[in-house]
Amino acid sequence: NAGVTQTPKFRILKIGQSMTLQCTQDMNHNYMYWYRQDPGMGLKLIYYSVGAGITDKGEVPNGYNVSRSTTEDFPLRLELAAPSQTSVYFCASSYGTSSSYEQYFGPGTRLTVT
Amino acid sequence: QQPVQSPQAVILREGEDAVINCSSSKALYSVHWYRQKHGEAPVFLMILLKGGEQKGHDKISASFNEKKQQSSLYLTASQLSYSGTYFCGTLYTGNQFYFGTGTSLTVIP
């Protein structure tokens, strides 16, 4: 199993541009998450999904959108990129709710907005 | 409202022990622990469930005090490979997962 894969690994955006960060998992996990991690800081939840067609906001959703049309894929869309969105973005998945199940992380996407 | 960890940073010599604490202002129903090495993704270490059940690492132990809303991670006989940043994490409302503030651990020879 590849686990959780993310593309691209690195990206530089100009202010106002848009992009989609891709996330795919091959573990048949129902739950998927997007986090951002600013330099030297902890991870903050952007959006999560408990299954195909179901998404909900996390702690820091402003400036982002998500969709979940299949169990495997959970893309994150950045609209009108701003310097404050410079961060490392991690996608994660878990078999079930985090009250009982661990999360598996992808390698991350390092995004710089200038 | 994220969990608060202490200490923020610790430096150990190989073979020494360390304790990392995680405190919550809200009720805890389960606690996760992850380790993140520089430039890498977090890796799952352990999950502690209400009622005392633990799942995870065989060389790292942890405790979970539901009444005090605290968890502690115990690293014994530390190895160089233990270096990294440790995060606790927990579920609060619905499925909103919050990671703690993090503890940087450096093990030196």
Side-chain angles (χ1 to χ4, degrees), chain A residues 18-57:
Chain A
S18 300
M19 76 165 293
T20 299
L21 281 65
Q22 302 291 345
C23 175
T24 300
Q25 55 92 7
D26 63 359
M27 297 175 282
N28 203 32
H29 284 174
N30 291 313
Y31 287 63
M32 295 188 74
Y33 314 83
W34 274 106
Y35 294 93
R36 60 175 288 172
Q37 185 175 34
D38 296 338
M41 305 294 283
L43 293 94
K44 291 190 182 295
L45 183 65
I46 305 171
Y47 271 95
Y48 65 94
S49 169
V50 301
I54 307 170
T55 63
D56 208 345
K57 295 178 181 178

Side-chain angles (χ1 to χ4, degrees), chain A residues 43-106:
Chain A
L43 293 94
K44 291 190 182 295
L45 183 65
I46 305 171
Y47 271 95
Y48 65 94
S49 169
V50 301
I54 307 170
T55 63
D56 208 345
K57 295 178 181 178
E59 188 182 358
V60 290
N62 291 346
Y64 307 94
N65 276 302
V66 293
S67 59
R68 182 104 182 265
S69 56
T70 67
T71 300
E72 295 78 19
D73 300 308
F74 190 39
L76 177 73
R77 178 88 178 156
L78 276 74
E79 305 281 2
L80 299 174
S84 60
Q85 292 178 304
T86 294
S87 192
V88 179
Y89 291 84
F90 289 104
C91 178
S93 71
S94 62
Y95 177 75
T97 171
S98 291
S99 62
S100 302
Y101 295 94
E102 64 269 33
Q103 297 182 25
Y104 294 83
F105 284 80

Side-chain angles (χ1 to χ4, degrees), chain B residues 6 73 83 103:
Chain B
S6 62
L73 187 72
S83 292
T103 296

Side-chain angles (χ1 to χ4, degrees), chain B residues 40-95:
Chain B
E40 298 181 7
V43 173
F44 170 76
L45 292 176
M46 177 169 292
I47 183 171
L48 300 106
L49 307 176
K50 213 172 182 181
E53 184 183 354
Q54 291 186 29
K55 295 194 292 182
H57 212 280
D58 59 359
K59 293 190 176 180
I60 295 173
S61 62
S63 64
F64 180 19
N65 188 322
E66 297 160 37
K67 282 189 177 179
K68 291 187 176 180
Q69 296 170 181
Q70 289 178 347
S71 177
S72 295
L73 187 72
Y74 304 97
L75 303 162
T76 56
S78 58
Q79 305 169 18
L80 294 175
S81 61
Y82 285 9
S83 292
T85 302
Y86 289 76
F87 292 99
C88 65
T90 191
L91 207 61
Y92 286 145
T93 53
N95 283 292

